[in-house]
Amino acid sequence: MKRVNNPNIAAADPMSIIKRAMPPTLPLEITEILPRLKEGGAFVKFTHEESTHPRDIETTVRGFLTEHPIKPWFNPFRSVQARRVRGQPWVEDLYRFPSSRLKVEFVSTSPGGEAAELSQETLYLLFRKYGKLANIVSQPPDSKVLPKFAYLDFVRERYSIMAKNCMHGFRVAEADGGGKAGTELRLVYEQKVKAHWIRDWLLNHPRVVIPAVVALLASFTVAVFDPIRTFFVKAHITHTFHLTDSRLWRWFKAQADDIMIFRHKKSDDAGLDAIWDDRKGSIEQIQTWLMETADTFIVVQGPRGSGKRELILDQALKERKHKLVIDCKPIQEARGDSATIKAAAIEVGYRPVFSWMNSFNSLIDLAAQGTIGTKTGFSETLDSQLQKIWQNTATALKQIALETRKKDDKDAELDNDSYLEAHPERRPVVVIDNFLHKSQENTLVYDKLAEWAAALTTANIAHVIFLTNDVSFSKSLSKALPDRVFRLISLGDCSPDVAKRFVTNHLDADSDDELGGNDKLTPTQKRKDLGELDGCINTLGGRLTDLEYLARRIKTGESPNKAVREIIEQSASEILKMYLLDVDKTQRKWTPEQAWLLVKELAQHETLRYNEILLSDTFKSGGESTLQALEQAEFISIVSSNGRPHSIKPGKPVYQAAFRQLTADHVLKSRLDLAILSDLVKVETASIDKYEAELHLIAKLPKQPNELSSRIQWLLNKLQACQGRIEEYERESGNLKKVLKAEY
């Protein structure tokens, strides 16, 4: 750098320029040259004859430069200038750089003397010759800063450089306005750049700065974070970072099979074989639908514990490499927007996610609204945040669907959309589990999921399978795809034969490892109490979770009857706690009396008429919403026919036996029956009050016409009937109270 930064290389050597600037006939001798590289000039010391005045030398040199201008090659529009030094220049090497503004300080020529403050007119006459002045700023009259000063603003920086080097130390005589003792001028460069002006401008213009910052942050997020998030979503779907799916792990496991024995429980798989044999038609049907191009949803509906997830993931999609499972349960149960966003991001592998920034940005948005009057857009709603997550996921799914496409394919001329439509087997599968879980609390997540799933299917990006316990799923999905017919697989409870095979296969699953020697009897053949299994399964029903629980209890050594009794008692306790005793009426949409009425009726009948229950006095107010809430809570199941509900069954098959056990408890039955009778008495009393009020109104008429006689008689009959029912309820209540007083 020192070699490059050289005046000789730049053809700007001060010595050569000065020799060219001096007329050859000028009677002077140069004694010294002092270069000022940071100011782009040089001081020239010379001697001359006494008869020659320095003013004449200045005039001659300036005239010569006018006739023979010297222009540097790097700036041909400016020529070299020369001026006579009138003061005593200060040659320094401080870090003070030239500026177009000069600060002129007025200093006394003698110690203790008083300097005169020059007027703007005097300063103009002294400094105008060095270049055009833009402004002269005098010291404020109330300022007590010493020494006195003034500012000179030149149009160009080279003018201030010339003035500073020529006039520094110049003494102004009394005749020129310098005072009695004269005034010396001290000149320094004054930087015009205001400190922190960028920061001050940003703070003083929030209406411009804040929207610009929001736009920049949004652009940065889209340009930087979106590709990263799409990459992680793809890695989540393709299991890129899963150790057990890597080639190294599979090779290691294959090599170690001969050395180590990898034992795992086969009971679950073996037990489910009987279920899959029974549901083979449903599995094949789903696999056939996935090979078709129809742009609609596949819905698998069934009660909780019916094996929906295992049917899809372990059987129907067993050979599918690319599948994405989204569990709605943790998303719906998350508390707060930040937790919901984080849960949704975890389900699809969307990272990095700054869910905590949503609350922070809301505070910024609130502060900005108070400052500039409008929202800045920093904070985003839950709706927009979920939309971003689903959009990135859709991008990743489309990239996965197209990653196996090659340029030499026979249909390479097709565009991406046409290719995906022609090859449904290339599309990944999205499984949305626990759809409509706790949907009565908030439907935003489910609405956004349904809209996103509709976009995936209509754009031929992926197949979408919904797993739900809710029988009213069509109401939610029809909003997203109103003109499509959904493909439905309904899963119910197993038949008794399949349930028995499930339990026996579960018991015999690990027999190969446990049997030794010549003993070839299976655990089911060894046990003598499995004859009870048929009756137990008829009591327990065909729900997979209950059957698996039964098999595990039998495996521990319990008899089938004892295991079923334990399961029934546990279900009865669950019913008592969740539906009958510990019911918070502010959070639940049913009363213990309504639930108990269903328990009593279902204990006597396996199926109830839906409309008959609605006609009962206990369900007279808001009956349908109560039944729907109980169905959502899996207390009952409502069976529909021709699009309308027509019957009511227990939520689980084992509940039938649990209901019978609860009604067999005389004390519990008397207590809850007494509560129902109390409610019925209140209903009849309210009816009597209404009838009496109408009779009282009729009695106030001045004359009762004959036409009202039938109405009066009808009201009296109603009063009599209500009173009769109240007396009957009170007699029954008296008997129930006797039971409560006599028994524990």
Side-chain angles (χ1 to χ4, degrees):
M1 289 301 293
K2 291 181 179 179
R3 292 182 179 181
V4 176
N5 189 16
N6 193 323
N8 294 324
I9 297 176
D13 181 34
M15 184 63 71
S16 61
I17 292 176
I18 290 169
K19 288 180 180 180
R20 293 170 58 192
M22 293 297 178
T25 59
L26 193 64
L28 57 80
E29 181 182 355
I30 298 175
T31 60
E32 188 180 0
I33 297 176
L34 299 175
R36 301 290 294 162
L37 296 180
K38 72 176 181 180
E39 295 173 311
F43 291 106
V44 180
K45 291 184 178 182
F46 61 89
T47 60
H48 59 88
E49 298 177 356
E50 293 183 0
S51 59
T52 305
H53 196 278
R55 188 185 303 110
D56 298 334
I57 296 175
E58 179 185 6
T59 304
T60 302
V61 173
R62 286 178 58 81
F64 180 79
L65 289 175
T66 302
E67 295 176 1
H68 305 87
I70 302 174
K71 298 180 180 180
W73 63 270
F74 53 82
N75 193 356
F77 299 101
R78 289 186 179 180
S79 59
V80 175
Q81 300 292 329
R83 282 288 181 181
R84 177 168 59 96
V85 177
R86 302 178 63 187
Q88 297 178 355
W90 179 24
V91 181
E92 39 80 17
D93 59 352
L94 302 175
Y95 282 96
R96 295 179 180 177
F97 299 98
S99 172
S100 60
R101 167 174 281 196
L102 287 178
K103 182 179 181 182
V104 184
E105 296 179 347
F106 310 116
V107 184
S108 174
T109 57
S110 60
E114 184 177 355
E117 183 178 359
L118 301 185
S119 64
Q120 293 188 6
E121 292 81 356
T122 304
L123 292 173
Y124 181 83
L125 292 174
L126 291 173
F127 289 94
R128 177 61 181 86
K129 64 181 72 175
Y130 300 106
K132 183 173 177 57
L133 285 164
N135 193 15
I136 299 175
V137 181
S138 300
Q139 184 178 6
D142 57 346
S143 175
K144 297 181 180 180
V145 178
L146 294 176
K148 296 291 185 179
F149 64 90
Y151 290 117
L152 301 177
D153 289 329
F154 287 90
V155 174
R156 294 181 181 177
E157 192 176 278
R158 65 182 306 188
Y159 300 157
S160 66
I161 293 173
M162 186 70 78
K164 190 256 183 187
N165 286 284
C166 292
M167 294 295 291
H168 183 83
F170 177 73
R171 295 189 176 187
V172 182
E174 182 181 0
D176 296 329
K180 294 181 180 180
T183 300
E184 182 178 335
L185 303 181
R186 291 182 182 175
L187 281 73
V188 293
Y189 296 117
E190 183 75 16
Q191 296 295 329
K192 295 182 66 175
V193 179
K194 183 181 178 182
H196 310 300
W197 68 272
I198 297 178
R199 182 193 65 186
D200 294 341
W201 189 91
L202 293 175
L203 294 177
N204 293 331
H205 298 80
R207 290 180 180 271
V208 178
V209 173
I210 295 179
V213 171
V214 172
L216 288 174
L217 288 177
S219 303
F220 178 79
T221 302
V222 172
V224 177
F225 287 110
D226 275 11
I228 297 174
R229 289 163 174 165
T230 303
F231 168 78
F232 278 111
V233 173
K234 286 179 62 178
H236 177 79
I237 298 172
T238 58
H239 307 289
T240 303
F241 302 117
H242 287 205
L243 178 62
T244 55
D245 294 332
S246 64
R247 293 182 180 179
L248 179 62
W249 172 264
R250 290 198 297 267
W251 176 87
F252 174 76
K253 186 177 180 182
Q255 298 299 321
D257 279 340
D258 297 334
I259 303 173
M260 294 180 291
I261 300 176
F262 290 94
R263 292 188 57 187
H264 64 280
K265 287 191 175 182
K266 300 183 292 182
S267 57
D268 295 342
D269 297 338
L272 289 172
D273 287 342
I275 306 299
W276 305 145
D277 291 341
D278 184 54
R279 296 177 177 176
K280 187 175 181 181
S282 299
I283 296 171
E284 293 177 349
Q285 181 65 70
I286 294 172
Q287 292 174 342
T288 303
W289 285 340
L290 294 177
M291 298 301 293
E292 298 176 358
T293 58
D295 49 351
T296 186
F297 301 141
I298 299 174
V299 182
V300 180
Q301 190 276 330
R304 185 168 61 91
S306 57
K308 300 183 294 296
R309 185 183 179 98
E310 293 80 5
L311 176 76
I312 296 299
L313 298 181
D314 298 340
Q315 298 299 315
L317 302 181
K318 189 176 183 179
E319 304 300 329
R320 286 273 180 169
K321 183 179 180 181
H322 299 144
K323 48 183 177 285
L324 173 64
V325 181
I326 300 176
D327 191 354
C328 299
K329 186 175 181 180
I331 303 175
Q332 185 69 4
E333 291 181 350
R335 292 292 175 260
D337 291 352
S338 298
T340 303
I341 294 167
K342 185 177 180 181
I346 290 174
E347 290 300 316
V348 298
Y350 179 91
R351 63 173 65 91
V353 56
F354 308 109
S355 57
W356 55 271
M357 284 292 291
N358 201 44
S359 302
F360 180 71
N361 290 339
S362 299
L363 296 177
I364 295 178
D365 222 1
L366 185 62
Q369 187 175 10
T371 303
I372 64 177
T374 58
K375 288 188 176 181
T376 60
F378 265 112
S379 62
E380 293 183 293
T381 61
L382 177 62
D383 187 349
S384 61
Q385 292 274 13
L386 291 176
Q387 187 68 25
K388 281 186 178 181
I389 295 175
W390 305 141
Q391 186 175 357
N392 277 85
T393 307
T395 303
L397 289 169
K398 188 170 184 179
Q399 292 178 4
I400 292 172
L402 296 172
E403 66 182 3
T404 57
R405 189 179 185 186
K406 300 178 181 178
K407 294 182 179 179
D408 55 351
D409 289 342
K410 61 180 181 179
D411 49 5
E413 71 280 357
L414 296 176
D415 59 5
N416 291 336
D417 294 337
S418 301
Y419 176 82
L420 291 175
E421 185 177 0
H423 294 276
E425 73 280 358
R426 303 284 187 186
R427 305 176 209 164
V429 181
V430 178
V431 180
I432 301 178
D433 194 11
N434 287 315
F435 186 68
L436 298 180
H437 172 74
K438 292 186 177 180
S439 58
Q440 66 276 10
E441 296 180 2
N442 186 10
T443 60
L444 174 63
V445 173
Y446 298 120
D447 291 342
K448 287 300 165 186
L449 267 176
E451 293 174 5
W452 175 66
L456 292 180
T457 54
T458 53
N460 297 314
I461 295 175
H463 301 284
V464 181
I465 301 176
F466 286 93
L467 310 181
T468 181
N469 306 333
D470 199 326
V471 295
S472 60
F473 63 88
S474 59
K475 296 179 182 178
S476 178
L477 296 181
S478 296
K479 298 178 183 178
L481 282 179
D483 56 345
R484 298 289 190 278
V485 177
F486 308 129
R487 292 176 165 176
L488 177 63
I489 296 290
S490 295
L491 298 182
D493 297 324
C494 301
S495 62
D497 293 338
V498 175
K500 184 176 181 180
R501 278 196 293 138
F502 173 83
V503 175
T504 54
N505 290 349
H506 203 287
L507 294 175
D508 295 337
D510 297 329
S511 60
D512 294 339
D513 297 332
E514 295 174 0
L515 295 177
N518 298 323
D519 191 1
K520 297 183 179 180
L521 294 178
T522 63
T524 54
Q525 293 173 341
K526 291 180 178 181
R527 300 192 59 147
K528 299 180 180 180
D529 55 1
L530 293 184
E532 308 169 356
L533 199 57
D534 292 334
C536 293
I537 288 177
N538 290 331
T539 303
L540 195 63
R543 192 64 53 89
L544 288 184
T545 50
D546 295 334
L547 292 174
E548 186 176 5
Y549 188 37
L550 172 65
R552 289 177 179 174
R553 295 187 72 96
I554 294 175
K555 206 168 186 178
T556 59
E558 292 185 4
S559 66
N561 285 334
K562 182 180 179 182
V564 169
R565 284 197 301 272
E566 294 289 339
I567 294 173
I568 293 174
E569 290 178 2
Q570 184 176 350
S571 299
S573 301
E574 178 184 326
I575 294 169
L576 276 175
K577 183 177 181 180
M578 294 180 61
Y579 307 104
L580 297 177
L581 299 182
D582 300 335
V583 178
D584 187 358
K585 296 182 180 180
T586 59
Q587 297 180 357
R588 306 290 176 87
K589 295 183 179 180
W590 69 85
T591 62
E593 293 77 16
Q594 292 172 326
W596 177 248
L597 178 64
L598 292 174
V599 169
K600 287 200 308 178
E601 296 297 328
L602 287 172
Q604 299 175 1
H605 311 91
E606 293 184 0
T607 304
L608 302 179
R609 298 181 186 87
Y610 182 83
N611 294 310
E612 183 181 1
I613 295 298
L614 292 179
L615 291 175
S616 63
D617 292 335
T618 307
F619 285 87
K620 186 176 292 185
S621 176
E624 288 201 80
S625 61
T626 301
L627 291 176
Q628 290 174 3
L630 288 169
E631 185 187 25
Q632 290 286 341
E634 299 182 356
F635 179 70
I636 59 173
S637 62
I638 300 175
V639 182
S640 298
S641 176
N642 298 325
R644 66 171 182 83
H646 77 96
S647 60
I648 298 174
K649 291 184 177 181
K652 293 181 180 180
V654 71
Y655 278 3
Q656 186 87 34
F659 291 162
R660 294 194 186 100
Q661 181 169 326
L662 289 174
T663 53
D665 187 344
H666 296 294
V667 175
L668 177 65
K669 185 175 183 298
S670 300
R671 174 186 169 183
L672 294 174
D673 283 346
L674 184 62
I676 291 178
L677 292 175
S678 299
D679 283 349
L680 294 177
V681 169
K682 292 179 182 178
V683 172
E684 299 298 336
T685 303
S687 299
I688 289 176
D689 292 340
K690 183 176 65 174
Y691 300 145
E692 288 179 345
E694 187 174 351
L695 288 172
H696 183 68
L697 182 63
I698 295 174
K700 289 184 178 180
L701 295 175
K703 184 178 180 181
Q704 298 178 359
N706 294 329
E707 289 80 358
L708 287 177
S709 58
S710 59
R711 180 66 180 179
I712 295 172
Q713 187 62 41
W714 181 84
L715 291 172
L716 293 175
N717 292 336
K718 286 289 184 180
L719 276 173
Q720 184 179 5
C722 290
Q723 181 60 32
R725 284 192 290 271
I726 289 176
E727 292 174 358
E728 182 181 355
Y729 295 154
E730 288 181 346
R731 283 194 298 271
E732 294 179 7
S733 298
N735 295 330
L736 295 175
K737 290 178 181 178
K738 292 179 181 178
V739 175
L740 293 175
K741 292 178 180 179
E743 299 183 15
Y744 289 98

